[in-house]
Amino acid sequence: NAGVTQTPKFRILKIGQSMTLQCTQDMNHNYMYWYRQDPGMGLKLIYYSVGAGITDKGEVPNGYNVSRSTTEDFPLRLELAAPSQTSVYFCASSTGTANSPLHFGNGTRLTVT
Amino acid sequence: DAKTTQPPSMDCAEGRAANLPCNHSTISGNEYVYWYRQIHSQGPQYIIHGLKNNETNEMASLIITEDRKSSTLILPHATLRDTAVYYCIVLSYNTNAGKSTFGDGTTLTVKP
C-alpha cells in the first residue's frame, strides 16, 4: 500500500513552459486535493475533487488546471509556467467521510526560472 | 484566510511535555479539528483529530475546550525527532468538501 505518490520529486522549468504534476493514490479515496506551499508559509488549496469526473477550484487556482478521469489519479497541469509558480506542490487524498484525515504525498519541488 | 491561529514558534526541553495551542473561534458545529506536522519539507503527517471530546492516540493527546473555540495538542514526552512545524486546521466534509487552508503553523523546537 503505497499511499499517495507524486512524480516528479523535483523539476526546473523555464518561463512559458508547461508540465503536468502527477498524483496517484491506491487507497480508493474519492476526495483528492492539490496544495502549494511557498517557502516558510502554510499550504494553500489549488484544486480539489470529490470523485471521478468532478473537480472544483480552491483558494489559488489561477494558472493551473486539473482533471480526474479515474479515482486513482489527479494530475495538475501548468500551461504557461511563471516564476510565481515556484513552490512545493502537495497532493492529498481522503475518504471524504466525517472522521477521515487527509493523506499527503511527499511533494514536488518546482522551480520556474 | 486560515480559520485557525497558532503561535509562530515554541521551544520545549527533551523529555518534557510540549503543549501547542490553537485558536479556532469561528469553528462551526460540524467542523473537526485536525493536527498535522511537517518535518523539513516532507508531506504533512496526520497526528490526531477531534470534534468535541478529548482524544488520545499513540502520538499525542488533543484537548478541546468546551466551547470548541480553542484546542491544545500535547506531546507527552517530546523527543528531538518531534522538532517540526505543527499545523492545526478545521474542516468538514459535510458542508465544505474537506477544503482547508493551512496557516503558517507553529515551529516546535525540541532542545536537548
Side-chain angles (χ1 to χ4, degrees), chain A residues 35 98 100 102, chain B residues 1-6 22-36 48-51 62 64 68-71 87-93 95-103:
Chain A
Y35 290 86
S100 56
L102 298 170
Chain B
D1 290 336
K3 295 175 66 174
T4 61
T5 305
Q6 299 176 253
C22 180
N23 180 287
H24 31 80
S25 58
T26 59
I27 192 170
S28 61
N30 58 7
E31 287 183 315
Y32 282 72
V33 179
Y34 284 79
W35 283 83
Y36 290 81
I48 197 167
H49 73 281
L51 183 62
L62 174 61
I64 302 175
R68 302 211 321 126
K69 293 185 177 182
S70 66
S71 62
Y87 295 100
C88 163
I89 66 168
V90 295
L91 68 84
S92 167
Y93 292 104
T95 57
N96 207 27
K99 294 184 293 181
S100 185
T101 295
F102 290 59

Side-chain angles (χ1 to χ4, degrees), chain B residues 16-77:
Chain B
R16 304 298 294 269
N19 297 285
L20 290 84
C22 180
N23 180 287
H24 31 80
S25 58
T26 59
I27 192 170
S28 61
N30 58 7
E31 287 183 315
Y32 282 72
V33 179
Y34 284 79
W35 283 83
Y36 290 81
R37 72 180 183 185
Q38 188 175 30
I39 298 173
H40 300 301
S41 293
Q42 297 175 15
Q45 176 191 21
Y46 165 75
I47 301 172
I48 197 167
H49 73 281
L51 183 62
K52 53 184 178 181
N53 296 323
N54 298 338
E55 303 288 346
T56 295
N57 63 20
E58 64 278 4
M59 291 181 68
S61 295
L62 174 61
I63 308 298
I64 302 175
T65 58
E66 191 169 344
D67 63 8
R68 302 211 321 126
K69 293 185 177 182
S70 66
S71 62
T72 301
L73 178 74
I74 301 172
L75 307 178
H77 305 287

Side-chain angles (χ1 to χ4, degrees), chain A residues 2-14:
Chain A
V4 179
T5 302
Q6 293 184 238
T7 57
K9 288 184 170 55
F10 304 94
R11 184 72 186 268
I12 298 174
L13 283 182
K14 295 189 186 301

Side-chain angles (χ1 to χ4, degrees), chain A residues 10 40-41 43 56 74 78 95 102:
Chain A
F10 304 94
M41 309 289 282
L43 285 74
D56 207 346
F74 190 40
L78 284 71
T95 63
L102 298 170

